[in-house]
Amino acid sequence: MASNATVVEQLRGVSRLMVRELGFMGGDFAGTELSPSAVHALIEIEPGEITARELGALLRLEKSSVSRMLRKLVDSGDVLQAAGDDDARVKRLSLTPAGRARVAAIHAFARRQVVDALARLAPGQDRTVLEGMRLYTHALGAAGGPESTARVDVVRGYRTGLIARITAMHADYYARESGFGQRFESVVASGLAEFCNRLESPSNAIWTARKDGDIIGSIAIDGEDLGNDTAHLRWFILDDSARGSGAGKRLLDAAMAFVDERGFSQTHLWTFSGLNAARHLYETRGFTLAEEQPGAQWGKQVLEQRFVRHRP
């Protein structure tokens, strides 16, 4: 569809002004002396141990640019860089205490900046701004094809609101599809909260699928609760908007890569009969049905199923 030439020029002008107002043209950025790419890198490293390669792909930076930037962040004491357990060429990144303090200050600065700007708008215009920026960002990404428009990032680690969001996705889906109620929601919330308190253990990890910063899917590996060198796959869920996007496959593949990297001999998961799409996905990743039994641990009688995947 042809665009109005006046609108095109106005959008270009607004974009240039936004870039200047946000500090991308130089000087202090996000209240720091860091470059915009370094600030974005720290924010992406914060949730968990991302690799240098993953960071480069996420920020769309060349390998050499990522290496130079990370060298400065390591030298400044903000980032730790360690070799992967199975491949010394893989560099895993995490924040130091100083780095976490710096990122906390960046978040505080950015929130103040947004709050101050929104306060100058009329009531209701904040949602208009949000929706407009989402639409325009999607349109810019569409140059790479339909997949770019629906870009979903799979990110490891905790983020604020994760427990509530994952619990809500489970509660909404299973209330509609299986008639589960408060008991099920409470089991999910309490179990997930307890697990998140153990995320510092190298045997545990959680991933979320995110679109426009919103969580639209999750999966976790609990390497402690079953014992006997057995990983427990838990809280695998997708929002309705993410079904058919491939996000489920990417989440499951991330979890299985972690299981194999940590060397677990088996991976178990509990589900129940009737979730055929999920069962098919499990079976394509090497899971087989090990047992079935009636149970009501989720607040309603169902045919519970345990699937097992052995180490390849």
Side-chain angles (χ1 to χ4, degrees):
M1 181 178 68
S3 298
N4 183 294
T6 301
V7 172
V8 169
E9 293 307 314
Q10 288 177 340
L11 271 174
R12 291 184 62 212
V14 169
S15 297
R16 291 194 299 272
L17 180 59
M18 181 181 294
V19 166
R20 291 197 293 268
E21 291 294 334
L22 290 174
F24 280 90
M25 301 303 292
D28 291 345
F29 182 75
T32 76
E33 78 287 359
L34 299 173
S35 67
S37 59
V39 169
H40 282 248
L42 289 174
I43 292 172
E44 297 301 338
I45 294 170
E46 180 190 19
E49 291 191 349
I50 189 173
T51 67
R53 178 180 297 178
E54 291 167 342
L55 181 66
L58 195 59
L59 299 183
R60 303 182 186 182
L61 293 175
E62 296 179 354
K63 183 179 179 181
S64 58
S65 298
V66 173
S67 296
R68 287 193 298 271
M69 176 181 63
L70 289 176
R71 192 178 306 119
K72 293 179 180 178
L73 292 174
V74 170
D75 290 343
S76 67
D78 292 308
V79 171
L80 291 175
Q81 190 170 243
D85 293 336
D86 298 326
D87 188 345
R89 294 171 298 178
V90 175
K91 302 301 182 184
R92 295 200 168 276
L93 309 172
S94 60
L95 295 181
T96 64
R100 292 193 176 280
R102 187 191 284 266
V103 171
I106 290 171
H107 286 317
F109 178 92
R111 290 189 185 101
R112 287 195 302 271
Q113 193 175 38
V114 173
V115 168
D116 289 347
L118 294 181
R120 302 185 186 101
L121 300 178
Q125 287 184 329
D126 53 351
R127 304 301 302 182
T128 302
V129 170
L130 175 60
E131 187 60 24
M133 292 183 71
R134 280 179 171 171
L135 288 171
Y136 190 47
T137 301
H138 285 169
L140 288 171
E147 186 175 348
S148 297
T149 305
R151 177 181 174 85
V152 175
D153 296 315
V154 173
V155 183
R156 178 179 168 183
Y158 174 82
R159 58 161 278 185
T160 302
L162 176 149
I163 296 171
R165 176 60 178 144
I166 294 176
T167 299
M169 286 191 293
H170 278 80
D172 291 343
Y173 178 79
Y174 287 102
R176 183 181 71 240
E177 299 296 327
S178 305
F180 291 175
Q182 175 268 319
R183 170 73 182 279
F184 173 74
E185 184 173 349
S186 295
V187 169
V188 172
S190 60
L192 183 56
E194 187 277 331
F195 171 75
C196 286
N197 287 331
R198 298 188 281 111
L199 275 177
E200 291 186 358
S201 168
S203 297
N204 302 330
I206 192 165
W207 297 262
T208 49
R210 305 180 192 178
K211 184 177 180 181
D212 295 328
D214 296 330
I215 293 176
I216 59 169
S218 67
I219 196 168
I221 292 295
D222 190 334
E224 297 179 317
D225 67 331
L226 297 181
N228 299 319
D229 197 29
T230 299
H232 188 184
L233 190 153
R234 310 179 73 179
W235 301 295
F236 185 30
I237 189 72
L238 287 177
D239 184 73
D240 290 343
S241 66
R243 301 186 190 282
S245 68
K249 294 178 181 178
R250 293 175 60 196
L251 285 166
L252 188 55
D253 288 343
M256 292 303 93
F258 173 80
V259 164
D260 293 339
E261 178 183 306
R262 301 301 304 176
F264 289 103
S265 61
Q266 296 182 17
T267 305
H268 292 197
L269 68 88
W270 281 97
T271 183
F272 54 90
S273 178
L275 303 177
N276 296 326
R279 174 172 181 167
H280 173 71
L281 184 55
Y282 296 141
E283 290 176 338
T284 64
R285 267 55 180 180
F287 285 90
T288 57
L289 180 62
E291 66 172 298
E292 290 183 313
Q293 61 185 33
Q297 64 171 307
W298 293 301
K300 183 180 178 180
Q301 189 79 7
V302 293
L303 182 61
E304 296 179 353
Q305 298 175 321
R306 181 170 62 90
F307 284 80
V308 176
R309 174 187 182 266
H310 296 276
R311 182 167 56 200

